[in-house]
Amino acid sequence: MANDASAVFDTLSPAVSKGSLADPFTPPADSALWRKNFLLGAATASYQIEGAVDEDGRLPSIWDTFSAKPGKVLAGDTGAVACDHYHRWEADIEMLASLGLEGYRLSIAWPRVMDAAGVPNRKGLDFYKRLLNRLKEKGITTFVTLYHWDLPQHLEDRGGWLNRDTAYRFADYADLMSRELAGTVDAWATLNEPWCSAYLGYGNGHHAPGLANDRFATQAMHHLLLAHGLAVPVLRANDPASQKGIVANIGRGTPNSDSAADQRAAHLFEVQHNAWILDPLLKGAYPQDLFELWPGTEPLVLDGDMETISAPLDFLGINYYFRTNVASDGAHGFRDVPLEGVERTQMGWEVYPDGLRDLLTGFKKTYHNLPPIYITENGMASDDQVTDGHVDDTQRISFLKRHLAAVDQAIKAGVDIRGYFLWSLMDNFEWVFGYERRFGVVHVDYSTQKRTVKRSAELVAKFLKERKARA
Ligand code: FCB
C-alpha cells in the first residue's frame, strides 16, 4: 500500500512525457510561470487530511465536536480518518516529490502538540518533525500554517476566539512550534483565512464552533488578528531565517447593474471580504464601512492592539476561488444575485479568473506597503471518477491554466507574486461538504485510501519537468 501513489504515477507519466497526451496546461513561452524562482506547490490542512484524531495524545478540536453534531456536515462525515495521512505521510510525500512539486503548504494541528496547561506533547511534535525533515531532504520548500481552523476544544470551552486570552495562548503555541521546528520551515503563516474563522465560525454559524452573531464575528476577528500580531515577533525571535506572514481568502464582488446602489453593494461586499482583514494588517485600522454594513458591531480594541496587528509582514498569502455578483439589499447591505449561464464548479462557485487579477492589481493600488504575495490556495472541486486507473479532470486543467494566466497578468502589471499553491494535493475532508467535494490533483478512494494521480497533476508535473530541464 505504502508506495501505491508513486507506482501509479510511474505507470502514467511515460504517456505524458512521450507527448502521447495532448497538453492543455503548459503556460505560453512568455509567462512568468516559466521563471525558475516562481514557486509552484500544493497545499493541504491538518484536519482535512490527517485523521488519527484520538491518537498519540491528540486532544479534540472544535471540528471534531462540530462535525459530530447531526446535520452540520454533509452525509455526517467527520475528519476522524480523512486521508489517513497521519499514517501514510511517507507515501504522500513520495507522491508530492514524484510530481516535481517544489513547495508544500501544510498546517499543524494545535490539539496534537500541546495540552490545556501548555505542556508539549512529544509524540505530536515528533510527527511534524519527521514530516518536515523529510520534506527538507526532498528539497521541498515548506510553508507551515499554525492555525487552519482546528482550535483545541478546551479553548472553545473558555470562549474560543471570543476570549482575548485565546490570542495569548496562540502566541504560546507559536513559541513552542517555532522553537521545536526552527530550521525546517521556510515560511510560517500564522492563520489561514481569518474571515472564515470569524464570520463562518462566529457570524453565521456555518462552520465550527457554529455561533451566529455579527458582533461575535467582529470580536472574534479582532482576537484572531491580535493572535497573529502577537505571534509574529515570537516567530521572528525563534526562527529568524524564515519568512513570516498570514493567509487571507479574498472575494471579488461585482455589481449587478450600473446603479449607484449596486456599485455600493459591490464595494461593501469587498469591504466585508477583503478590507476587514487587509486594512487592519496593512493600514492599522478597521474599515469604517464595515460598521455601516453591521451597525454597532465595533470590536473592543485595547491600546496598542492595532500596532501589534499591523507590524510588517514578509509575505501575504492569498486564497482565491470565485466571484459573487451582488445587488443592493435595499438597506445597508448587499445580496447575492447568481448569474445565469456562467461556468461553475462542483461547489457551484463561478469560474472567474479575472477576479484574481483584478483584486491583486487593486490591492497594489490600495496598499502602498503590500508585501510580496504567494497564492497559497487556488483550485476547484469536481466529481472526479477513476476509470481504468485514470482520472480525466478536464475542467480542473482548464481552470488551473486560466488562473495561472491571471497570476501572470498580475505579475506583468507589477504585483510581486512569488509562488502558487494548488488547493489541494489530494481530495480531502471539505469541511461542511465532507468527502463529496473533490479538490485534489490526486484522487483518494476513501474505502481503500488508494491515491490516483489525476491528469491535472500529471500536466503540472510535465510542465515542472520541462521548466527544470530548461533552467
Ligand atoms: C478554503 C480553505 C481550504 C479549503 C478550500 C476549498 O477556504 O482554506 O481548507 O477548504 O477553501
Side-chain angles (χ1 to χ4, degrees), residues 45 48 105 148-149 192-193 196 249 319 321 347 349 377 423 428-431 439:
Q48 294 180 276
R105 173 173 176 247
H148 200 126
W149 308 352
N192 177 68
E193 302 189 351
C196 292
N249 55 307
N319 296 352
Y321 288 96
M347 296 294 282
W349 295 347
E377 286 180 27
W423 184 271
N428 58 49
F429 176 75
E430 179 46 38
W431 308 111
F439 272 94

Side-chain angles (χ1 to χ4, degrees), residues 377-452:
E377 286 180 27
N378 178 236
M380 59 157 279
S382 42
D383 182 18
D384 300 320
Q385 316 281 342
V386 183
T387 312
D388 299 333
H390 298 261
V391 181
D392 202 2
D393 53 340
T394 323
Q395 193 190 9
R396 179 172 295 101
I397 294 163
S398 159
F399 178 102
L400 296 176
K401 186 182 178 87
R402 287 178 281 164
H403 284 80
L404 284 164
V407 169
D408 179 46
Q409 288 161 13
I411 293 173
K412 291 193 171 124
V415 187
D416 182 1
I417 308 169
R418 306 213 173 157
Y420 174 102
F421 292 82
L422 303 156
W423 184 271
S424 174
L425 173 63
M426 55 188 154
D427 297 337
N428 58 49
F429 176 75
E430 179 46 38
W431 308 111
V432 294
F433 299 98
Y435 297 101
E436 192 198 84
R437 309 292 161 94
R438 294 182 174 274
F439 272 94
V441 293
V442 172
H443 180 277
V444 176
D445 178 337
Y446 296 107
S447 61
T448 59
Q449 291 295 346
K450 184 179 169 69
R451 278 53 163 157
T452 303

Side-chain angles (χ1 to χ4, degrees), residues 74-102:
L74 202 65
D77 290 341
T78 75
V81 179
C83 307
D84 195 30
H85 173 74
Y86 191 73
H87 300 116
R88 293 167 197 266
W89 64 273
E90 291 186 89
D92 288 339
I93 290 178
E94 280 304 316
M95 176 173 79
L96 179 80
S98 75
L99 293 171
L101 290 164
E102 298 161 340

Side-chain angles (χ1 to χ4, degrees), residues 24-35 38 40 320 351-358 360-361 375 378 396-415 417 419-420 422 463:
F25 173 75
T26 299
D30 69 342
S31 167
L33 274 286
W34 281 101
R35 291 180 199 157
F38 185 89
L40 205 52
Y320 174 78
V351 179
Y352 191 69
D354 286 358
L356 176 57
R357 178 201 58 209
D358 295 346
L360 291 168
T361 52
I375 307 302
N378 178 236
R396 179 172 295 101
I397 294 163
S398 159
F399 178 102
L400 296 176
K401 186 182 178 87
R402 287 178 281 164
H403 284 80
L404 284 164
V407 169
D408 179 46
Q409 288 161 13
I411 293 173
K412 291 193 171 124
V415 187
I417 308 169
Y420 174 102
L422 303 156
F463 164 61

